[in-house]
Amino acid sequence: MKRILIVEDEKNLARFLELELSYEGYHVQIINDGREGVNMAVAEDWDVILLDLMLPNINGIEVCRRIRQVKSTPIIMITARDGVMDRVSGLDSGADDYIVKPFAIEELLARIRALFRRFEGNKEKPLSQLRNRDLVLEKESRIVKKDGKEVELTKREYDLLLSFMENVNIVLTREQLLEKVWGYDTEVETNVVDVYVRYLRNKLHGDKEGPYIETVRGTGYVMRK
């Protein structure tokens, strides 16, 4: 029986979800507080966590960040706030999916099943890694380590580093990085690439061989061995 943790302070919704998910054969537990949600998420093993954005004591974004520091449990963010930046913040904090209230229970169930398929499929495959100098990137777990210590990155920073590590010694233009990381239809200006490269450099620093990412004046950036 798969186990689902619901971290939701709206008690009527939490009870409704508990009844529906229990009917589908899941073991369900409800927590109504952000701080207690972190403790329960870390203390026990769950197959998926349904996490509200607005919670007492600690909000859902911070709850998600704290869980991600120690566990890779699938997380679906549930919230009434449907602004683009709210969705981006939720995903960047480590959530795997995002659903906006009000929603049909059938849609939530479908998203849960999709997460199970994705994560169970990954468990059957050996972890693939990319390495460069003292950096290690684990693609399935989305974990980055520098000299054996984990580096905490946002989803965008991770995707940017992945692009560089898949193209070591290849110069990537700002336009190419926009397509790889932000998508073909993005309306983001190319200077956002410069901003995120700076974020990435600040977190990675460098080693005795120098910075990992070099600027190619007038063109873009390159990661050197």
Side-chain angles (χ1 to χ4, degrees):
M1 182 181 291
K2 291 191 180 295
R3 306 179 75 237
I4 297 179
L5 176 64
I6 300 173
V7 187
E8 167 65 69
D9 67 329
E10 191 177 329
K11 294 185 178 179
N12 288 340
L13 175 59
R15 178 58 178 160
F16 168 74
L17 292 175
E18 180 184 30
L19 291 172
E20 292 291 334
L21 292 169
S22 297
Y23 179 77
E24 294 293 324
Y26 298 115
H27 170 81
V28 181
Q29 183 160 341
I30 297 172
I31 297 292
N32 304 121
D33 174 271
R35 193 179 304 278
E36 292 179 12
V38 172
N39 294 337
M40 183 60 68
V42 171
E44 299 188 20
D45 290 329
W46 304 94
D47 293 289
V48 71
I49 297 171
L50 305 181
L51 177 61
D52 187 27
L53 183 61
M54 304 299 293
L55 291 166
N57 291 320
I58 302 176
N59 66 42
I61 297 294
E62 184 60 26
V63 170
C64 191
R65 288 198 185 106
R66 295 189 186 189
I67 294 172
R68 278 292 169 263
Q69 288 175 359
V70 291
K71 286 198 170 183
S72 58
T73 310
I75 296 174
I76 299 177
M77 196 78 79
I78 300 177
T79 180
R81 299 169 63 174
D82 63 349
V84 172
M85 289 311 299
D86 294 316
R87 295 197 296 274
V88 168
S89 296
L91 295 171
D92 275 350
S93 69
D96 299 281
D97 201 355
Y98 196 107
I99 190 167
V100 178
K101 305 173 188 176
F103 53 83
I105 189 64
E106 292 81 7
E107 181 183 0
L108 178 61
L109 291 171
R111 287 172 183 257
I112 290 172
R113 291 192 296 268
L115 273 184
F116 287 156
R117 287 195 300 271
R118 193 171 99 205
F119 276 76
E120 287 169 0
N122 284 343
K123 288 178 184 177
E124 296 170 0
K125 304 171 185 176
L127 287 177
S128 57
Q129 297 182 340
L130 296 173
R131 294 175 176 268
N132 186 30
R133 287 151 60 176
D134 62 354
L135 286 180
V136 178
L137 183 149
E138 297 177 356
K139 296 178 73 172
E140 284 79 7
S141 63
R142 299 179 70 86
I143 289 175
V144 175
K145 294 181 180 179
K146 179 182 180 228
D147 198 22
K149 296 179 180 179
E150 188 169 341
V151 181
E152 187 174 340
L153 301 178
T154 67
K155 181 179 184 300
R156 199 75 73 187
E157 291 164 350
Y158 169 88
D159 290 341
L160 186 59
L161 180 61
L162 176 62
S163 297
F164 283 123
M165 292 189 72
E166 287 181 331
N167 295 277
V168 172
N169 284 336
I170 297 174
V171 176
L172 298 172
T173 67
R174 291 172 176 81
E175 290 76 13
Q176 287 174 318
L177 290 168
L178 273 180
E179 289 180 359
K180 290 175 180 292
V181 179
W182 281 265
Y184 288 93
D185 299 325
T186 185
E187 296 180 1
V188 177
E189 297 293 332
T190 54
N191 63 0
V192 77
V193 174
D194 302 325
V195 173
Y196 273 84
V197 167
R198 185 167 69 251
Y199 291 161
L200 200 52
R201 282 172 168 166
N202 288 340
K203 290 186 176 182
L204 297 179
H205 302 295
D207 61 10
K208 60 184 179 181
E209 299 175 44
Y212 299 103
I213 303 167
E214 297 180 7
T215 302
V216 180
R217 189 174 299 276
T219 304
Y221 299 94
V222 61
M223 172 170 272
R224 300 292 188 192
K225 284 188 177 180

